[in-house]
Amino acid sequence: LTMPCYFGQSTFTLKYFGLTVHPFGAPTAELHPYKLDRNAVLVANFGLFVGYEKFIYKDLISLKVLQAGFSDCSAGAAGFTHLGVRVVALDRGKHYGCIGFGPVFLYRNSWTRFGEEYESSGYFNETDTRWGRMQYKLIPYGLDLEYDYELNEQNSLSFSMTPGIPMAIIFAVGWKHWFHKKEETYKKVIYVPR
């Protein structure tokens, strides 16, 4: 007996990371050269997110890997690596939304480079590397909210928000490419007892 086997779609995402929001202001606001207000509630950032997503259950649940490189709020080099499970929450015509959850490994040039101007909160771990002193943190509960507006069958304008309340909320905008579904068949052997 031959039966159809449907494989979910996969996507490629490229986004510009351009804004961090500190809901209650940043205690280190004086160290943020691209702050848009005195308390660094809004800070401009510059960087890219690159992601690949593969649906593993119909077109409802997927796995996504995301790699980012950007300038952090102090204009230092930073990045993160994320692997998450995503669930579709909205799928209506041109409007599509999902919620992602999974670990994030965050790293940045250590802010101890500012000397006495920087007082560590103890949130980040510190280490020396071949690129200098780095701060890093493994966050096991990273959350990602995404909204896509369909431009055509394969391409969408994509917006994402990563809430890290109370510390920061980050926003990114970019392009998502949807690869076509593929359908394969397999043979299923049914044994009938005699």
Side-chain angles (χ1 to χ4, degrees):
L1 177 64
T2 301
M3 300 183 68
C5 179
Y6 296 95
F7 291 83
Q9 298 186 78
S10 57
T11 72
F12 172 79
T13 305
L14 182 64
K15 290 184 181 176
Y16 176 71
F17 168 43
L19 182 68
T20 296
V21 177
H22 302 103
F24 307 106
T28 55
E30 67 280 3
L31 304 179
H32 299 192
Y34 300 110
K35 62 188 175 188
L36 304 179
D37 59 272
R38 186 176 61 187
N39 296 320
V41 173
L42 302 175
V43 180
N45 301 103
F46 310 94
L48 292 176
F49 295 176
V50 178
Y52 177 76
E53 177 181 17
K54 177 68 176 174
F55 283 82
I56 57 173
Y57 177 72
K58 298 184 178 180
D59 287 332
L60 298 174
I61 300 175
S62 64
L63 289 177
K64 184 168 187 175
V65 61
L66 190 63
Q67 180 61 53
F70 53 91
S71 64
D72 67 10
C73 292
S74 74
F80 69 76
T81 304
H82 168 65
L83 176 63
V85 175
R86 297 160 67 82
V87 178
V88 174
L90 172 69
D91 191 359
R92 293 196 174 184
K94 292 183 174 291
H95 306 281
Y96 178 88
C98 57
I99 301 170
F101 181 84
V104 178
F105 183 61
L106 175 65
Y107 35 90
R108 67 184 190 183
N109 283 346
S110 178
W111 287 29
T112 57
R113 70 185 187 275
F114 294 110
E116 293 182 1
E117 292 181 78
Y118 172 69
E119 184 177 341
S120 175
S121 66
Y123 180 75
F124 285 95
N125 301 305
E126 296 262 352
T127 188
D128 288 311
T129 71
R130 62 186 298 181
W131 301 282
R133 191 145 183 87
M134 301 289 290
Q135 291 178 312
Y136 66 93
K137 184 74 174 182
L138 177 62
I139 306 165
Y141 49 83
L143 185 65
D144 180 41
L145 307 175
E146 182 176 276
Y147 166 75
D148 301 327
Y149 180 78
E150 182 183 287
L151 301 174
N152 56 46
E153 186 178 327
Q154 289 186 276
N155 298 288
S156 298
L157 184 61
S158 185
F159 302 88
S160 63
M161 179 184 78
T162 304
I165 296 171
M167 287 183 58
I169 304 169
I170 64 174
F171 293 89
V173 60
W175 163 69
K176 178 185 274 189
H177 179 75
W178 296 79
F179 296 99
H180 286 297
K181 291 180 182 178
K182 66 180 181 179
E183 180 180 330
E184 295 182 1
T185 59
Y186 67 94
K187 290 186 177 179
K188 183 175 181 181
V189 179
I190 300 176
Y191 295 98
V192 179
R194 298 184 178 190

